[in-house]
Coordinates of all heavy atoms in Angstrom, one line a residue:
M10 N 51.0 -11.6 145.6 CA 50.9 -10.2 145.9 C 52.1 -9.7 146.8 O 52.5 -10.5 147.8 CB 49.6 -9.9 146.7 CG 48.5 -10.2 145.8 SD 48.4 -8.7 144.7 CE 47.1 -9.3 143.6
S11 N 52.6 -8.5 146.6 CA 53.7 -8.1 147.5 C 53.0 -7.6 148.8 O 52.0 -7.3 148.8 CB 54.4 -7.0 146.8 OG 53.6 -5.9 146.6
D12 N 54.0 -7.5 149.8 CA 53.5 -7.1 151.2 C 53.7 -5.6 151.1 O 54.9 -5.1 151.4 CB 54.3 -7.8 152.2 CG 54.1 -7.3 153.6 OD1 53.1 -6.5 153.8 OD2 54.8 -7.8 154.5
R13 N 52.8 -4.8 150.9 CA 52.9 -3.4 150.8 C 53.0 -2.7 152.3 O 53.0 -1.5 152.4 CB 51.8 -2.7 150.0 CG 51.7 -3.2 148.6 CD 51.1 -2.5 147.7 NE 50.7 -3.0 146.5 CZ 51.6 -3.1 145.4 NH1 52.9 -2.7 145.7 NH2 51.2 -3.7 144.3
S14 N 53.0 -3.6 153.3 CA 53.2 -3.0 154.6 C 54.6 -2.8 155.1 O 54.9 -2.3 156.1 CB 52.5 -3.8 155.6 OG 53.1 -5.1 155.7
R15 N 55.6 -3.2 154.2 CA 57.0 -3.0 154.5 C 57.3 -1.4 154.7 O 56.8 -0.7 153.9 CB 57.9 -3.6 153.4 CG 57.8 -5.0 153.4 CD 58.9 -5.6 152.4 NE 58.8 -4.8 151.2 CZ 58.5 -5.2 150.0 NH1 58.2 -6.4 149.8 NH2 58.5 -4.4 149.0
S16 N 58.3 -1.2 155.4 CA 58.7 0.3 155.5 C 59.9 0.5 154.4 O 60.4 -0.5 153.9 CB 59.3 0.5 156.9 OG 60.5 -0.2 157.0
A17 N 60.1 1.7 154.0 CA 61.1 1.9 153.0 C 62.4 1.3 153.4 O 63.2 0.8 152.6 CB 61.2 3.4 152.8
A18 N 62.7 1.3 154.7 CA 64.0 0.8 155.2 C 64.1 -0.7 154.8 O 65.2 -1.2 154.8 CB 64.3 1.0 156.7
E19 N 63.0 -1.5 154.7 CA 63.0 -2.8 154.4 C 63.0 -3.1 152.9 O 63.0 -4.2 152.4 CB 61.8 -3.5 155.0 CG 61.8 -3.5 156.4 CD 60.5 -4.0 157.0 OE1 59.6 -4.5 156.3 OE2 60.3 -3.7 158.3
G20 N 63.3 -2.0 152.0 CA 63.5 -2.1 150.6 C 62.3 -2.3 149.7 O 62.2 -3.3 149.0
Y21 N 61.5 -1.3 149.6 CA 60.6 -1.3 148.5 C 61.2 -1.4 147.2 O 62.2 -0.8 146.9 CB 59.8 0.1 148.6 CG 58.5 0.0 149.3 CD1 58.3 -0.7 150.5 CD2 57.4 0.7 148.9 CE1 57.0 -0.8 151.1 CE2 56.1 0.7 149.5 CZ 56.0 -0.1 150.6 OH 54.8 -0.1 151.3
R22 N 60.6 -2.1 146.3 CA 61.0 -2.2 145.0 C 60.6 -1.2 144.1 O 59.3 -1.3 143.8 CB 60.9 -3.7 144.4 CG 61.6 -4.7 145.1 CD 61.1 -6.1 144.6 NE 59.6 -6.1 144.8 CZ 59.0 -6.8 145.6 NH1 59.6 -7.4 146.6 NH2 57.7 -6.8 145.7
V23 N 61.4 -0.2 143.6 CA 60.9 0.8 142.8 C 61.5 0.7 141.3 O 62.7 0.7 141.1 CB 61.3 2.2 143.4 CG1 60.8 3.3 142.5 CG2 60.8 2.4 144.7
A24 N 60.6 0.5 140.4 CA 60.9 0.4 139.1 C 61.2 1.8 138.5 O 60.3 2.7 138.7 CB 59.9 -0.3 138.1
V25 N 62.3 2.1 137.8 CA 62.6 3.4 137.4 C 62.8 3.4 135.8 O 63.5 2.5 135.3 CB 63.9 4.0 137.9 CG1 64.3 5.3 137.4 CG2 63.9 3.9 139.5
L26 N 62.0 4.3 135.1 CA 62.0 4.3 133.7 C 62.5 5.8 133.4 O 61.7 6.7 133.6 CB 60.7 4.0 133.0 CG 60.6 4.1 131.5 CD1 61.6 3.0 130.9 CD2 59.2 3.8 131.0
A27 N 63.7 5.9 133.2 CA 64.3 7.2 133.0 C 65.4 7.3 131.9 O 66.0 6.2 131.6 CB 65.0 7.6 134.3
G28 N 65.5 8.4 131.2 CA 66.5 8.6 130.4 C 67.8 8.7 130.9 O 67.9 9.0 132.1
P29 N 68.9 8.6 130.1 CA 70.2 8.6 130.8 C 70.5 9.9 131.5 O 71.3 9.9 132.5 CB 71.2 8.4 129.6 CG 70.3 8.0 128.4 CD 68.9 8.3 128.7
E30 N 70.0 11.1 130.9 CA 70.3 12.3 131.5 C 69.6 12.5 132.9 O 70.0 13.4 133.7 CB 69.9 13.4 130.6 CG 68.5 13.4 130.2 CD 68.0 12.5 129.1 OE1 68.8 11.9 128.6 OE2 66.8 12.5 128.9
D31 N 68.6 11.6 133.2 CA 67.9 11.7 134.4 C 68.3 10.7 135.4 O 67.9 10.8 136.6 CB 66.4 11.7 134.2 CG 65.9 12.8 133.3 OD1 66.3 13.9 133.5 OD2 64.9 12.5 132.5
S32 N 69.0 9.7 135.2 CA 69.3 8.5 135.9 C 70.0 8.9 137.3 O 69.6 8.5 138.3 CB 70.0 7.5 135.2 OG 69.4 7.0 134.1
E33 N 71.0 9.8 137.2 CA 71.7 10.2 138.4 C 70.7 10.9 139.4 O 70.9 10.8 140.6 CB 72.9 11.0 138.0 CG 73.9 11.2 139.3 CD 74.3 10.0 140.0 OE1 74.4 8.9 139.4 OE2 74.3 10.1 141.2
T34 N 69.9 11.8 138.8 CA 68.9 12.6 139.7 C 68.0 11.7 140.3 O 67.8 11.7 141.6 CB 68.2 13.6 138.8 OG1 69.1 14.4 138.2 CG2 67.2 14.4 139.7
V35 N 67.4 10.6 139.6 CA 66.6 9.8 140.2 C 67.2 8.9 141.3 O 66.8 8.6 142.4 CB 65.9 8.8 139.2 CG1 65.1 7.7 139.8 CG2 65.0 9.6 138.1
R36 N 68.6 8.5 141.0 CA 69.2 7.8 141.9 C 69.4 8.5 143.3 O 69.3 7.9 144.3 CB 70.7 7.4 141.4 CG 71.5 6.4 142.2 CD 72.8 6.1 141.5 NE 72.8 5.8 140.2 CZ 72.3 4.5 139.6 NH1 71.9 3.6 140.5 NH2 72.4 4.3 138.3
M37 N 69.8 9.8 143.1 CA 69.9 10.6 144.4 C 68.5 10.9 145.1 O 68.6 10.7 146.3 CB 70.5 12.0 144.0 CG 71.9 12.0 143.5 SD 72.7 13.5 143.1 CE 71.3 14.6 142.9
I38 N 67.4 11.0 144.4 CA 66.2 11.2 145.0 C 65.6 10.1 145.6 O 65.1 10.0 146.6 CB 65.2 12.0 144.0 CG1 65.8 13.4 143.6 CG2 63.8 12.0 144.6 CD1 65.0 13.9 142.5
V39 N 65.6 8.9 144.9 CA 64.9 7.7 145.2 C 65.7 6.7 145.8 O 65.5 6.1 146.8 CB 64.1 7.2 144.1 CG1 63.3 6.0 144.4 CG2 63.1 8.3 143.5
C40 N 66.8 6.2 145.0 CA 67.6 5.1 145.3 C 68.4 5.2 146.7 O 68.7 4.2 147.3 CB 68.4 4.7 144.2 SG 67.5 4.5 142.6
E41 N 68.9 6.4 146.9 CA 69.6 6.6 148.1 C 68.8 6.8 149.4 O 69.3 7.2 150.4 CB 70.6 7.8 147.9 CG 71.6 7.5 146.9 CD 72.7 8.7 146.6 OE1 72.5 9.6 147.4 OE2 73.4 8.5 145.7
R42 N 67.5 6.5 149.2 CA 66.6 6.7 150.5 C 66.1 5.2 150.9 O 65.0 5.0 151.4 CB 65.4 7.4 150.0 CG 65.7 8.8 149.6 CD 65.8 9.8 150.8 NE 65.8 11.1 150.4 CZ 66.9 11.9 150.1 NH1 68.0 11.2 150.0 NH2 66.9 13.1 149.8
H43 N 67.0 4.2 150.8 CA 66.7 2.8 151.2 C 65.7 2.2 150.3 O 65.0 1.0 150.7 CB 66.2 2.8 152.7 CG 67.2 3.3 153.5 ND1 68.4 2.7 153.8 CD2 67.3 4.5 154.3 CE1 69.0 3.5 154.7 NE2 68.4 4.5 154.9
F44 N 65.4 2.6 149.1 CA 64.5 1.9 148.2 C 65.4 1.1 147.3 O 66.5 1.5 146.8 CB 63.7 2.9 147.3 CG 62.6 3.7 148.2 CD1 62.9 4.9 148.6 CD2 61.4 3.1 148.4 CE1 61.9 5.7 149.3 CE2 60.5 3.8 149.1 CZ 60.8 5.1 149.6
E45 N 64.9 -0.1 147.0 CA 65.7 -0.9 145.9 C 65.2 -0.4 144.6 O 64.0 -0.7 144.3 CB 65.3 -2.4 146.2 CG 66.0 -3.3 145.1 CD 65.5 -4.7 145.3 OE1 64.7 -5.1 146.2 OE2 65.9 -5.4 144.3
C46 N 66.1 0.2 143.9 CA 65.8 0.8 142.6 C 66.2 -0.1 141.4 O 67.3 -0.6 141.5 CB 66.4 2.0 142.4 SG 65.7 3.4 143.3
L47 N 65.3 -0.4 140.5 CA 65.6 -1.2 139.4 C 65.2 -0.4 138.2 O 64.1 0.0 137.9 CB 64.7 -2.5 139.5 CG 64.7 -3.3 140.7 CD1 63.6 -4.2 140.9 CD2 66.1 -4.2 140.6
F48 N 66.4 0.0 137.4 CA 66.2 0.7 136.2 C 65.9 -0.3 135.2 O 66.4 -1.2 134.9 CB 67.5 1.4 135.9 CG 67.8 2.6 136.8 CD1 68.3 2.5 138.1 CD2 67.5 3.9 136.4 CE1 68.6 3.5 138.9 CE2 67.7 5.1 137.2 CZ 68.2 4.8 138.4
V49 N 64.7 0.0 134.5 CA 64.0 -1.0 133.6 C 63.7 -0.3 132.4 O 63.6 1.0 132.1 CB 62.7 -1.6 134.3 CG1 63.1 -2.3 135.6 CG2 61.8 -0.4 134.6
S50 N 63.5 -1.2 131.4 CA 62.9 -0.7 130.0 C 61.3 -0.6 130.2 O 60.7 -1.1 131.2 CB 63.3 -1.6 128.9 OG 62.5 -2.9 129.1
A51 N 60.7 -0.1 129.2 CA 59.2 0.1 129.2 C 58.6 -1.3 129.3 O 57.7 -1.6 130.0 CB 58.7 0.8 127.9
D52 N 59.1 -2.3 128.6 CA 58.6 -3.7 128.5 C 58.8 -4.3 129.9 O 57.9 -5.0 130.5 CB 59.2 -4.5 127.5 CG 58.9 -4.1 126.0 OD1 57.8 -3.5 125.8 OD2 59.5 -4.5 125.1
E53 N 59.9 -4.1 130.5 CA 60.1 -4.7 131.9 C 59.2 -4.1 132.9 O 58.8 -4.7 133.9 CB 61.6 -4.5 132.2 CG 62.6 -5.3 131.5 CD 64.0 -4.9 131.6 OE1 64.3 -3.7 131.8 OE2 64.9 -5.8 131.6
L54 N 58.9 -2.8 132.7 CA 58.0 -2.1 133.6 C 56.6 -2.7 133.6 O 56.0 -3.0 134.5 CB 58.0 -0.6 133.3 CG 57.0 0.3 134.1 CD1 57.3 0.2 135.6 CD2 56.9 1.7 133.7
L55 N 56.2 -2.7 132.4 CA 54.9 -3.3 132.2 C 54.7 -4.8 132.7 O 53.9 -5.2 133.4 CB 54.3 -3.3 130.8 CG 54.2 -1.8 130.2 CD1 53.8 -1.8 128.7 CD2 53.1 -1.1 131.0
A56 N 55.7 -5.5 132.3 CA 55.8 -7.0 132.9 C 55.8 -7.0 134.4 O 55.1 -7.9 135.0 CB 56.9 -7.8 132.3
G57 N 56.6 -6.2 135.0 CA 56.7 -6.1 136.4 C 55.5 -5.8 137.1 O 55.1 -6.2 138.2
I58 N 54.7 -4.8 136.5 CA 53.5 -4.4 137.1 C 52.5 -5.5 137.0 O 51.8 -5.8 138.0 CB 52.9 -3.1 136.3 CG1 53.8 -1.8 136.7 CG2 51.5 -2.8 136.8 CD1 53.4 -0.6 135.9
A59 N 52.5 -6.2 135.9 CA 51.4 -7.3 135.7 C 51.9 -8.4 136.7 O 50.9 -9.1 137.2 CB 51.5 -7.7 134.2
D60 N 53.1 -8.7 136.9 CA 53.5 -9.7 137.9 C 53.6 -9.4 139.3 O 54.1 -10.2 140.0 CB 54.9 -10.3 137.3 CG 54.7 -11.0 135.9 OD1 53.7 -11.3 135.6 OD2 55.8 -11.2 135.3
D61 N 53.3 -8.1 139.6 CA 53.5 -7.7 141.0 C 55.0 -7.7 141.5 O 55.2 -8.0 142.6 CB 52.5 -8.4 141.9 CG 52.1 -7.7 143.1 OD1 52.1 -6.4 143.0 OD2 51.9 -8.3 144.1
R62 N 55.9 -7.4 140.6 CA 57.4 -7.5 141.1 C 57.8 -6.1 141.7 O 58.8 -6.1 142.2 CB 58.2 -7.7 139.8 CG 58.2 -9.2 139.6 CD 59.2 -9.5 138.5 NE 58.5 -9.3 137.2 CZ 59.0 -9.2 136.0 NH1 60.2 -8.8 135.8 NH2 58.2 -9.1 134.9
F63 N 57.0 -5.1 141.5 CA 57.4 -3.7 141.9 C 56.4 -3.3 142.8 O 55.2 -3.5 142.9 CB 57.5 -2.7 140.7 CG 58.5 -3.2 139.6 CD1 58.0 -3.3 138.4 CD2 59.7 -3.6 139.9 CE1 58.8 -3.7 137.3 CE2 60.6 -4.1 139.0 CZ 60.1 -4.1 137.6
D64 N 56.8 -2.3 143.8 CA 55.9 -1.6 144.7 C 55.5 -0.2 144.3 O 54.6 0.4 144.8 CB 56.6 -1.6 146.1 CG 56.9 -2.9 146.6 OD1 55.9 -3.7 146.9 OD2 58.0 -3.3 146.8
A65 N 56.3 0.3 143.3 CA 56.1 1.6 142.8 C 56.8 1.8 141.5 O 57.7 1.0 141.3 CB 56.4 2.7 143.8
A66 N 56.5 2.8 140.7 CA 57.4 3.2 139.6 C 57.6 4.6 139.5 O 56.8 5.5 139.9 CB 56.5 2.8 138.3
V67 N 58.8 5.2 139.0 CA 59.1 6.4 138.8 C 59.4 6.5 137.4 O 60.2 5.8 136.8 CB 60.3 6.9 139.7 CG1 60.8 8.2 139.3 CG2 60.0 6.7 141.1
L68 N 58.8 7.5 136.7 CA 59.0 7.7 135.2 C 59.4 9.2 135.2 O 58.8 10.1 135.8 CB 57.8 7.5 134.4 CG 57.2 6.0 134.2 CD1 56.6 5.6 135.4 CD2 56.3 6.1 133.0
T69 N 60.4 9.4 134.2 CA 60.8 10.8 134.0 C 60.0 11.2 132.6 O 59.6 10.4 131.9 CB 62.3 11.0 133.8 OG1 62.7 10.2 132.7 CG2 63.0 10.4 135.1
G70 N 60.0 12.6 132.5 CA 59.3 13.1 131.4 C 59.9 12.6 130.1 O 59.1 12.3 129.1
V71 N 61.2 12.6 130.0 CA 62.0 12.1 128.8 C 61.5 10.7 128.5 O 61.2 10.3 127.3 CB 63.5 12.3 128.9 CG1 64.2 11.6 127.8 CG2 63.8 13.7 129.0
A72 N 61.5 9.8 129.4 CA 61.2 8.5 129.3 C 59.6 8.4 128.8 O 59.3 7.5 128.0 CB 61.4 7.6 130.5
L73 N 58.8 9.2 129.4 CA 57.4 9.1 129.1 C 57.1 9.4 127.6 O 56.3 8.9 127.0 CB 56.7 10.1 130.0 CG 55.1 10.0 130.0 CD1 54.6 8.7 130.3 CD2 54.5 11.0 130.8
L74 N 58.0 10.5 127.1 CA 57.9 10.8 125.8 C 58.2 9.7 124.8 O 57.6 9.6 123.7 CB 58.7 12.0 125.4 CG 58.3 13.3 126.1 CD1 59.5 14.4 125.8 CD2 57.1 13.7 125.5
A75 N 59.0 8.8 125.2 CA 59.3 7.5 124.3 C 58.5 6.4 124.5 O 58.5 5.4 123.8 CB 60.8 7.2 124.6
L76 N 57.6 6.5 125.6 CA 56.7 5.4 125.8 C 55.4 5.3 124.9 O 54.8 6.3 124.8 CB 56.3 5.5 127.4 CG 55.4 4.3 128.0 CD1 56.3 3.1 127.9 CD2 55.0 4.8 129.4
D77 N 55.1 4.1 124.6 CA 53.8 3.9 123.8 C 52.7 3.9 124.9 O 52.5 3.0 125.7 CB 53.8 2.6 123.1 CG 52.6 2.2 122.5 OD1 51.6 3.1 122.4 OD2 52.5 1.1 122.0
L78 N 52.0 5.0 124.8 CA 51.0 5.3 125.9 C 49.7 4.3 125.8 O 48.9 4.2 126.7 CB 50.5 6.8 125.8 CG 51.6 7.7 126.2 CD1 51.0 9.1 126.2 CD2 52.1 7.4 127.6
V79 N 49.6 3.6 124.7 CA 48.5 2.6 124.6 C 48.9 1.3 125.2 O 48.0 0.6 125.8 CB 48.2 2.4 123.0 CG1 47.1 1.3 122.8 CG2 47.8 3.8 122.5
A80 N 50.2 0.9 125.2 CA 50.5 -0.4 125.7 C 50.2 -0.6 127.1 O 49.8 -1.7 127.6 CB 52.0 -0.6 125.5
P81 N 50.3 0.4 128.0 CA 50.1 0.1 129.5 C 48.5 -0.1 129.8 O 48.2 -0.8 130.7 CB 50.5 1.4 130.2 CG 51.4 2.0 129.3 CD 51.0 1.7 127.9
G82 N 47.7 0.3 128.8 CA 46.2 0.1 129.1 C 45.8 -1.3 129.5 O 45.2 -1.4 130.6
P83 N 46.1 -2.5 128.8 CA 45.6 -3.7 129.2 C 46.2 -4.1 130.5 O 45.6 -4.8 131.4 CB 46.1 -4.6 128.1 CG 46.3 -3.7 126.8 CD 46.7 -2.4 127.4
V84 N 47.5 -3.8 130.7 CA 48.2 -4.2 131.9 C 47.5 -3.4 133.2 O 47.2 -4.1 134.2 CB 49.7 -3.8 132.0 CG1 50.4 -4.0 133.4 CG2 50.5 -4.6 131.0
L85 N 47.3 -2.1 133.0 CA 46.7 -1.4 134.2 C 45.2 -1.8 134.4 O 44.7 -1.9 135.5 CB 46.8 0.2 133.9 CG 48.2 0.7 133.9 CD1 48.3 2.2 133.6 CD2 49.0 0.4 135.3
A86 N 44.5 -2.2 133.2 CA 43.1 -2.5 133.3 C 43.1 -3.9 134.0 O 42.0 -4.2 134.6 CB 42.5 -2.6 131.9
G87 N 44.1 -4.7 134.0 CA 44.1 -6.0 134.7 C 44.4 -5.9 136.2 O 44.3 -7.0 136.8
Q88 N 44.7 -4.7 136.7 CA 45.0 -4.6 138.1 C 43.6 -4.7 138.8 O 42.6 -4.3 138.2 CB 45.6 -3.3 138.4 CG 46.9 -3.1 137.8 CD 48.0 -3.9 138.7 OE1 48.1 -3.8 139.8 NE2 48.6 -4.8 138.0
P89 N 43.7 -5.3 140.0 CA 42.4 -5.3 140.8 C 41.9 -3.9 141.1 O 42.7 -3.0 141.1 CB 42.9 -6.0 142.1 CG 44.1 -6.6 141.9 CD 44.8 -5.8 140.7
T90 N 40.6 -3.8 141.2 CA 40.0 -2.5 141.4 C 40.5 -1.8 142.6 O 40.4 -0.6 142.8 CB 38.4 -2.6 141.5 OG1 38.1 -3.5 142.5 CG2 37.8 -3.1 140.1
W91 N 40.9 -2.6 143.6 CA 41.4 -2.1 144.9 C 42.9 -1.6 144.7 O 43.5 -1.0 145.7 CB 41.3 -3.0 146.1 CG 41.8 -4.3 145.8 CD1 41.1 -5.4 145.3 CD2 43.2 -4.7 145.9 NE1 41.9 -6.4 145.1 CE2 43.2 -6.1 145.4 CE3 44.4 -4.2 146.2 CZ2 44.4 -6.8 145.4 CZ3 45.7 -4.8 146.1 CH2 45.6 -6.2 145.7
S92 N 43.5 -1.9 143.6 CA 44.9 -1.7 143.4 C 45.3 -0.2 143.6 O 44.6 0.7 143.1 CB 45.4 -2.2 142.1 OG 46.8 -1.9 141.9
D93 N 46.4 0.1 144.2 CA 46.7 1.5 144.5 C 48.3 1.6 144.1 O 49.1 2.2 144.7 CB 46.6 1.9 145.9 CG 47.3 1.1 146.9 OD1 47.9 0.0 146.6 OD2 47.3 1.4 148.1
F94 N 48.7 0.9 143.0 CA 50.1 1.0 142.5 C 50.5 2.4 142.2 O 49.9 3.1 141.4 CB 50.2 0.0 141.3 CG 51.6 -0.1 140.7 CD1 52.5 -0.8 141.4 CD2 52.1 0.8 139.8 CE1 53.8 -1.1 141.1 CE2 53.5 0.8 139.4 CZ 54.3 -0.2 140.0
P95 N 51.4 2.8 142.9 CA 51.9 4.3 142.8 C 52.8 4.5 141.7 O 53.8 3.7 141.5 CB 52.6 4.7 144.1 CG 52.9 3.3 144.8 CD 52.0 2.3 144.2
I96 N 52.5 5.5 140.8 CA 53.3 5.8 139.6 C 53.7 7.3 139.9 O 52.8 8.2 139.9 CB 52.6 5.5 138.3 CG1 52.3 4.1 138.2 CG2 53.5 6.1 137.2 CD1 51.6 3.8 136.9
V97 N 55.0 7.6 139.9 CA 55.4 9.0 140.1 C 55.9 9.5 138.9 O 56.9 8.8 138.3 CB 56.5 9.1 141.3 CG1 56.9 10.5 141.4 CG2 55.8 8.6 142.6
L98 N 55.5 10.6 138.3 CA 56.1 11.3 137.1 C 56.9 12.5 137.5 O 56.4 13.4 138.1 CB 54.9 11.7 136.2 CG 55.4 12.5 135.0 CD1 56.4 11.5 134.1 CD2 54.2 12.9 134.2
L99 N 58.2 12.3 137.1 CA 59.1 13.5 137.3 C 59.2 14.2 136.0 O 59.8 13.6 135.0 CB 60.4 13.1 137.8 CG 60.5 12.2 139.1 CD1 61.9 11.7 139.5 CD2 59.9 13.1 140.3
A100 N 58.7 15.4 136.0 CA 58.8 16.2 134.7 C 59.8 17.3 134.8 O 60.1 17.7 135.9 CB 57.4 16.7 134.4

């Protein structure tokens, strides 16, 4: 389990699923604020959530349109009931 008590300055790992046209905007909003940003594919995002590699995720509307919305079901269902994994959608 990741230590969710770290401050942003200590480098939260944020998975970013964004289209190329949104990458620079996400980088300015999230990555330049002391968060460790990892631009990932949909498969990497799901695997990282399942393996507890990320502290949060940012998805853009364009990336969401390309995402198979059924695939995350088993991964998210496998999270503990107390899980509070934050997912931010930028539309």
Side-chain angles (χ1 to χ4, degrees):
M10 291 288 167
S11 65
D12 178 7
R13 298 200 193 282
S14 64
R15 292 187 315 245
S16 70
E19 294 173 10
Y21 261 40
R22 293 173 308 257
V23 179
V25 178
L26 183 61
E30 61 280 358
D31 297 323
S32 295
E33 187 57 33
T34 302
V35 172
R36 188 178 313 282
M37 289 181 343
I38 294 171
V39 179
C40 305
E41 293 180 4
R42 302 270 192 274
H43 303 288
F44 293 97
E45 178 185 352
C46 289
L47 304 159
F48 287 81
V49 298
S50 69
D52 290 338
E53 292 169 324
L54 174 63
L55 294 177
I58 291 172
D60 295 344
D61 203 31
R62 282 183 267 157
F63 306 126
D64 297 299
V67 174
L68 288 76
T69 64
V71 171
L73 187 62
L74 291 174
L76 185 64
D77 174 4
L78 296 179
V79 175
V84 172
L85 296 176
Q88 293 288 303
T90 55
W91 52 262
S92 177
D93 59 353
F94 185 82
I96 298 174
V97 177
L98 174 61
L99 299 177

